[in-house]
Amino acid sequence: MRIFPSIFAVANILTLSTGRVIPRQDGNSYVGYLLSTFTDANPQVFWYLSEGSDPLAFKALNGGSPVLGSTVGTRAVRDIFLASNAARSEYFMIATDLDINAEGFSWDEATRRGSRGLTIWKSSNLVDWAEPTLTTIEEDTAGMAWAPSAVWNDDEQQYYLFWASRLYDTADSEHTGSAGLDRIRYSTTKDFVTFSSPADYVALDDTPLIDQEFLELGTPGAYARFIKNETVNQVYQEMTTGGLFGQWTRIPGYIGDNPLSEGPASFPDIENSGVYHLLLDNYEEYVPFQTSDIDAGSWEKSSPSSYPTGLKHGSVLRLTQTEYDAITSKFA
């Protein structure tokens, strides 16, 4: 598969995102939530559907079995993210290609000579999915490509794809030496087949970063984002009103009272304006948080009425009635 045509020559595609928040275009409102996730024991795609509009009550779909399994790369996936365009005419399931259960697995090896590709599925209806592809999105100097997320830009009719990586010196072709610190990288794509040249998005001189997630805040250019600091193994929050490439302001401290957290998944409440939810992976399972003061970053642990155990780094998609019914009909 030809991913970077003419040596990354996807000309002039890196127009900076306006960060325009996309309203529902078909007049339909959201009625529920779909959680895409995996487990350490079975690193494939699992789905959990909310009980109506309750953001804290989810039930397993497909009888508790995976809805999608990887047949490419390591044949295991982690860090599941479900992306869609504004028209909801296409959906992409993207995930880290990584099998920590493989014989002889080593985290050091996984970050030096790990997969530089993402496992990707495509659907037009959330029900019927094409076979997975393993798509290389990083350069030879990268040690891995982890924890993807994506934001659709309707003005540009393309996705902004983000992931974490660490880069080695160009002279170190075998990646045996020291690498730069983990950083957030990005690319753009219209189809998850052809990508622009990867570039740094957030790279700090003194802090390794992975696991970035965006939260749209309902007004043009307004976002929160959540990033894991790999030194302290905690997630922090930043804010902007200037779009994805605007100026970001750090909220002091870290989220939650657990000494370990990663894999943030955030989403707005569909019934209560100004209320937002955040899932944090405590290295064992997701713990839900919520806030009604996103600007202050004052997150409190939620009190779920029915929340599954053992779920890991994933994402939550708000569903229209049509989408909710289609998923229920197929997988419930």
Side-chain angles (χ1 to χ4, degrees):
M1 183 175 294
R2 186 166 164 236
I3 304 305
F4 297 108
S6 302
I7 314 178
F8 306 118
V10 182
N12 300 319
I13 200 170
L14 289 179
T15 305
L16 297 188
S17 172
T18 62
R20 185 165 70 87
V21 175
I22 307 303
R24 294 294 307 127
Q25 294 184 338
D26 53 14
N28 293 327
S29 60
Y30 297 111
V31 300
Y33 309 90
L34 178 65
L35 171 59
S36 302
T37 184
F38 74 100
T39 69
D40 280 330
N42 192 352
Q44 305 297 337
V45 179
F46 290 81
W47 271 0
Y48 288 78
L49 184 66
S50 66
E51 300 278 0
S53 60
D54 190 340
L56 299 175
F58 285 83
K59 58 185 177 183
L61 294 179
N62 203 35
S65 297
V67 296
L68 293 172
S70 177
T71 57
V72 296
T74 66
R75 297 178 180 266
V77 289
R78 304 172 66 85
D79 316 329
I80 315 299
F81 191 90
L82 177 55
S84 179
N85 61 3
R88 297 296 180 105
S89 61
E90 61 183 15
Y91 306 85
F92 295 94
M93 192 76 73
I94 53 179
T96 302
D97 172 37
L98 180 65
D99 185 5
I100 69 169
N101 300 317
E103 184 177 356
F105 174 80
S106 159
W107 282 109
D108 181 66
E109 180 68 15
T111 56
R112 291 181 180 275
R113 290 166 287 273
S115 176
R116 294 183 292 108
L118 300 176
T119 304
I120 301 172
W121 293 262
K122 181 178 181 179
S123 173
S124 62
N125 57 13
L126 277 178
V127 172
D128 304 302
W129 293 86
E131 290 298 312
T133 60
L134 180 63
T135 306
T136 301
I137 47 91
E138 259 294 5
E139 297 172 325
D140 294 342
T141 54
M144 78 291 193
W146 284 359
S149 64
V151 176
W152 168 256
N153 186 290
D154 207 45
D155 294 329
E156 301 167 10
Q157 290 290 296
Q158 65 181 354
Y159 298 88
Y160 279 72
L161 173 67
F162 302 87
W163 66 93
S165 191
R166 64 179 58 170
L167 305 180
Y168 291 81
D169 190 275
T170 54
D172 184 10
S173 59
E174 298 299 319
H175 299 179
T176 58
S178 298
L181 297 179
D182 296 342
R183 63 196 60 209
I184 306 300
R185 304 269 280 170
Y186 84 103
S187 177
T188 57
T189 181
K190 293 180 180 294
D191 54 13
F192 283 89
V193 175
T194 304
F195 296 81
S196 63
S197 177
D200 284 352
Y201 181 62
V202 185
L204 303 180
D205 293 335
D206 58 355
T207 308
L209 305 172
I210 65 171
D211 291 5
Q212 178 186 249
E213 166 91 351
F214 290 101
L215 174 61
E216 296 180 346
L217 299 180
T219 58
Y223 287 89
R225 73 180 177 194
F226 308 93
I227 305 177
K228 180 191 177 187
N229 177 334
E230 276 278 81
T231 299
V232 299
N233 294 316
Q234 296 259 5
V235 172
Y236 64 87
Q237 176 182 333
E238 293 185 324
M239 304 288 291
T240 189
T241 57
L244 299 180
F245 291 83
Q247 181 177 350
W248 291 84
T249 301
R250 168 77 184 267
I251 303 297
Y254 296 91
I255 303 172
D257 54 6
N258 193 290
L260 299 174
S261 63
E262 61 181 4
S266 56
F267 55 100
D269 194 287
I270 59 179
E271 290 192 344
N272 301 294
S273 177
V275 174
Y276 298 92
H277 303 275
L278 175 67
L279 308 180
L280 291 181
D281 185 338
N282 67 1
Y283 283 50
E284 294 182 358
E285 61 186 6
Y286 259 145
V287 178
F289 294 80
Q290 65 186 52
T291 184
S292 57
D293 190 357
I294 188 67
D295 291 330
S298 54
W299 295 92
E300 297 182 355
K301 191 174 292 186
S302 304
S303 300
S305 57
S306 175
Y307 207 80
T309 60
L311 307 188
K312 305 289 290 180
H313 185 166
S315 65
V316 176
L317 181 71
R318 291 174 294 170
L319 299 174
T320 66
Q321 189 69 63
T322 298
E323 292 168 332
Y324 192 99
D325 291 344
I327 290 170
T328 300
S329 176
K330 175 73 172 183
F331 296 107

